[in-house]
Amino acid sequence: MHPAPKRLLSLCAVALLIGLLGGGRPARASTLPYIPLDHWSTPLITEAIGRGLLTGVSLSDLPYQRAAVARTLKRARAAADSTQRNWTPFEAWLLERIEVEVSAGEPAPTPAFSRVASDWLLGYGIETRAEALTGEDQRRFGDADAKGILLPYIGFQSGRGLAAGIRFRMDTDGAQVSDFNGRPWRHGWTGDTKNAYALLQLGKAEVLFGRDDLRWGPSEYSSLLLSSNAPNFDQVGMRVFVGPVTFESIFTNLDDMTLENPFPQAPGDTLATGTVVKRHLSAHRLQWQVSPSVAFGVAEAVVYGGKDRGLEPEYVIPISIYYAGQWNSDRNDNALLSFTTHLRLKQDVELYGELLVDDFQFEHKTKGDEEPFEGGFLIGQRLYNPLGLDGSSLRVEFAKVEPFTYNQSMPWNRYLYKDQPIGFSLGPDAQAMDIEFRRWISEQLTWTFLFRREERGATRVTDPWPVSGSGPDSLNGFPSFDHVPTGVVERRSRYATDFWLHPRAGLDLHLGGGYVRVENIENAKGVNRNEWFVGAALRLNWSRWFSPSENRQAMHR
């Protein structure tokens, strides 16, 4: 290992030691209005929502809004105080941990432009991670067996409806991490701004300017329309809350594309090699929480671009229907539609799903119109406290995406950002199944077993469009397949166990290992790999916050 990564690893170790030995009492970890997806409290909030402890917040509302979580915590505590609900030991522990990050008594932000003002609040801190994982399979995500990560952050709440936050990430080996947003430094170091935004709070509406996490859908791992696989977008976003209905819209510029070969975008119009093509993304969704047990959502996204083509009003207007705009303007853009649902059949059983529609052919005038269905689906089930084991859960999930999904005849309209899938992390022509059992053993220990099976076919989102010159005059047809995933299928089976030690909020130690078998690596028949692996990860979150009216400081870890 080079000296530079060693120094950062040493720094991580020192920061962890200081946090372990330091004293203090819990306080709010930060004033970031939206809790980052990789924050220690996010999976705990997801668990509480799934168990029905936090009503009014949906699994699809990621990243979770601090104010919304605080409201639901307040209702949960009120229900407990009125004896409407008795918590099990695990449920009580879960809510107590969440309240270290988000207090049930936390006041709602004062809306901008109102005559009432509240006190400003400043939070700052650092999250430190030290990770180690053996085996060749993990090389997909980095070159080193051990790495260190530092995440310093600062957040500000003005008291007059304006909030802001910034969170920077330094990694000794982060260039191959899918959500890395930048270029590697010397000796494998990477550094990128993970979150940086200003938020205008208007009571029932919010407008965000900057970079933040984004993941739509009820699944923690396999969202099909917008996942957290790609780097965070530099976006203009809006959320509107009307009772049980939430409307959200964003638009952003994606990375430019430089053509490596001449490309005929229309008859008589060929773009030359080296042409720089602008790329953009817009998305919006409507989420309806029908009841504490039922939620539905519909979302739409579009990737579009071209030489000297900028942001366009029909895709920037939040309530515009993208497919209609594409059709009426006779543009060959890449619009996708998603439908989600989340059902709680009873207290300990929930079902969720997502249907993705990329392209569905209504006309079959020519062979070029005989395009297969492009889209995918996801179904999942969570069982809580199976066999009466308090704090245990069983998750079963399956996702599949058809060939050619996310791809398009115009290469700049592919559903990619910085070469990473914006939707399903495996891309098109792929499927994945998860079976996960988790058991809360005590307030200090949780055990997990996970089996994951991934299959990837021979086609990729970066493949040239299979039908050249498609359209009314095309005589070309789409290829047909005997099975999906197609061709020689790469299969990855992973069996893993993990012991999660959580002695206090913000301090986590993971120790685990397992076995992985990969068949037909990169779709090369007979190229296989079998290996055992072990891993460890230590994470500490340290922060301070300051509010002038209370004239106090508190330390949290």
Side-chain angles (χ1 to χ4, degrees):
M1 183 181 295
H2 289 285
K6 283 185 177 179
R7 285 194 293 270
L8 185 52
L9 280 172
S10 300
L11 180 59
C12 290
V14 170
L16 288 166
L17 183 61
I18 292 174
L20 289 170
L21 298 179
R25 56 192 176 89
R28 277 178 284 184
S30 69
T31 57
L32 294 176
Y34 288 102
I35 301 171
L37 293 179
D38 60 348
H39 192 269
W40 65 266
S41 65
T42 293
L44 301 184
I45 296 172
T46 298
E47 180 85 7
I49 294 171
R51 290 177 177 270
L53 305 180
L54 300 180
T55 58
V57 181
S58 170
L59 294 174
S60 299
D61 290 339
L62 288 165
Y64 297 123
Q65 183 197 41
R66 292 182 60 87
V69 176
R71 286 194 301 270
T72 58
L73 279 170
K74 186 175 182 179
R75 286 197 294 266
R77 287 302 182 191
D81 293 341
S82 63
T83 68
Q84 296 179 19
R85 178 79 183 263
N86 293 321
W87 309 126
T88 68
F90 171 74
E91 291 172 342
W93 172 85
L94 184 63
L95 292 178
E96 288 173 1
R97 283 296 172 96
I98 294 173
E99 287 182 322
V100 173
E101 170 64 22
V102 183
S103 170
E106 188 170 319
T110 303
F113 310 117
S114 66
R115 295 183 178 180
V116 179
S118 57
D119 293 318
W120 60 267
L121 185 68
L122 177 69
Y124 57 94
I126 186 169
E127 183 176 340
T128 307
R129 304 176 189 174
E131 302 175 357
L133 184 63
T134 66
E136 291 299 318
D137 196 61
Q138 60 94 7
R139 305 295 180 193
R140 297 174 294 154
F141 312 109
D143 297 321
D145 289 329
K147 66 189 305 183
I149 303 172
L150 291 178
L151 287 150
Y153 59 86
I154 184 170
F156 175 73
Q157 182 78 50
S158 70
R160 293 184 177 272
L162 180 65
I166 183 169
R167 187 165 172 255
F168 193 80
R169 174 176 58 180
M170 290 179 286
D171 193 324
T172 63
D173 185 34
Q176 292 171 234
V177 177
S178 64
D179 66 347
F180 171 59
N181 198 337
R183 296 189 303 164
W185 296 347
R186 299 175 59 185
H187 307 304
W189 276 48
T190 60
D192 63 328
T193 302
K194 195 78 168 66
N195 311 84
Y197 59 88
L199 186 71
L200 183 63
Q201 299 160 318
L202 303 169
K204 295 295 184 181
E206 296 180 339
V207 182
L208 182 144
F209 304 90
R211 179 180 299 178
D212 197 22
D213 301 327
L214 194 66
R215 183 168 73 212
W216 290 356
S219 172
E220 294 180 66
Y221 307 101
S222 299
S223 296
L224 303 184
L225 184 69
L226 286 177
S227 69
S228 56
N229 180 73
N232 291 347
F233 301 120
D234 298 320
Q235 59 185 280
V236 176
M238 178 185 72
R239 277 188 179 185
V240 179
F241 311 94
V242 182
V245 176
T246 301
F247 177 77
E248 186 170 0
S249 176
I250 68 130
F251 64 87
T252 181
N253 292 321
L254 300 177
D255 50 328
D256 296 341
M257 180 179 187
T258 302
L259 298 181
E260 298 179 354
N261 298 291
F263 186 84
Q265 63 175 349
D269 184 8
T270 298
L271 298 180
T273 300
T275 301
V276 177
V277 179
K278 301 292 184 181
R279 304 175 65 242
H280 315 283
L281 169 74
S282 292
H284 52 200
R285 67 167 176 167
L286 188 70
Q287 182 78 15
W288 180 25
Q289 190 74 40
V290 182
S291 71
S293 302
V294 180
F296 296 105
V298 59
E300 189 183 22
V302 61
V303 174
Y304 64 100
K307 181 183 178 182
D308 301 325
R309 188 179 179 189
L311 294 169
E312 297 184 350
E314 62 190 356
Y315 293 144
V316 171
I317 296 173
I319 59 174
S320 175
I321 300 176
Y322 302 149
Y323 183 80
Q326 169 187 312
W327 177 266
N328 291 328
S329 61
D330 196 24
R331 296 279 196 179
N332 189 9
D333 298 327
N334 192 7
L336 301 93
L337 193 63
S338 169
F339 302 90
T340 59
T341 184
H342 177 216
L343 307 173
R344 179 177 301 283
L345 302 182
K346 56 183 181 177
Q347 185 62 36
D348 295 332
V349 181
E350 64 173 344
L351 302 176
Y352 57 93
E354 180 177 6
L355 174 65
L356 177 72
V357 180
D358 185 347
D359 204 334
F360 182 82
Q361 283 300 120
F362 295 99
E363 297 180 324
H364 298 280
K365 296 180 180 179
T366 68
K367 289 186 176 181
D369 289 330
E370 296 177 358
E371 190 171 345
F373 170 72
E374 294 160 20
F377 69 91
L378 177 146
I379 54 174
Q381 174 180 284
R382 295 186 184 95
L383 302 178
Y384 296 104
N385 303 333
L387 303 177
L389 299 173
D390 182 37
S392 63
S393 63
L394 176 64
R395 177 179 64 91
V396 181
E397 182 177 294
F398 179 79
K400 182 175 182 177
V401 177
E402 296 293 323
F404 311 126
T405 306
Y406 305 130
N407 203 346
Q408 219 244 7
S409 58
M410 302 295 182
W412 50 83
N413 288 340
R414 291 168 181 158
Y415 210 57
L416 296 169
Y417 179 43
K418 299 197 172 180
D419 299 323
Q420 296 296 330
I422 297 174
F424 189 41
S425 61
L426 298 180
D429 195 7
Q431 61 188 31
M433 180 179 68
D434 288 342
I435 302 176
E436 181 184 46
F437 177 77
R438 184 176 300 165
R439 175 76 171 106
W440 180 75
I441 298 174
S442 70
E443 294 185 357
Q444 288 79 36
L445 180 63
T446 297
W447 173 72
T448 301
F449 174 80
L450 172 65
F451 168 74
R452 180 172 175 85
R453 170 83 166 187
E454 299 176 355
E455 296 186 358
R456 293 205 309 165
T459 67
R460 297 287 188 271
V461 68
T462 53
D463 290 346
W465 193 240
V467 178
S468 59
S470 60
D473 301 324
S474 174
L475 298 178
N476 301 310
F478 277 80
S480 59
F481 303 107
D482 296 331
H483 55 83
V484 175
T486 66
V488 177
V489 180
E490 178 189 89
R491 296 181 174 89
R492 175 176 277 102
S493 300
R494 185 180 181 89
Y495 307 81
T497 186
D498 175 74
F499 290 91
W500 171 28
L501 283 77
H502 38 72
R504 57 193 184 199
L507 174 60
D508 302 287
L509 173 62
H510 289 267
L511 300 172
Y515 175 79
V516 61
R517 174 174 174 79
V518 188
E519 304 173 55
N520 306 324
I521 298 174
E522 294 297 328
N523 306 99
K525 190 173 181 60
V527 181
N528 305 326
R529 180 173 62 240
N530 305 303
E531 65 181 16
W532 294 91
F533 64 90
V534 294
L538 181 61
R539 183 168 71 174
L540 172 71
N541 189 84
W542 173 92
S543 65
R544 288 179 179 268
W545 61 274
F546 177 72
S547 179
S549 65
E550 298 175 359
N551 193 27
R552 72 168 186 257
Q553 289 186 334
M555 183 178 293
H556 160 77
R557 39 182 195 279

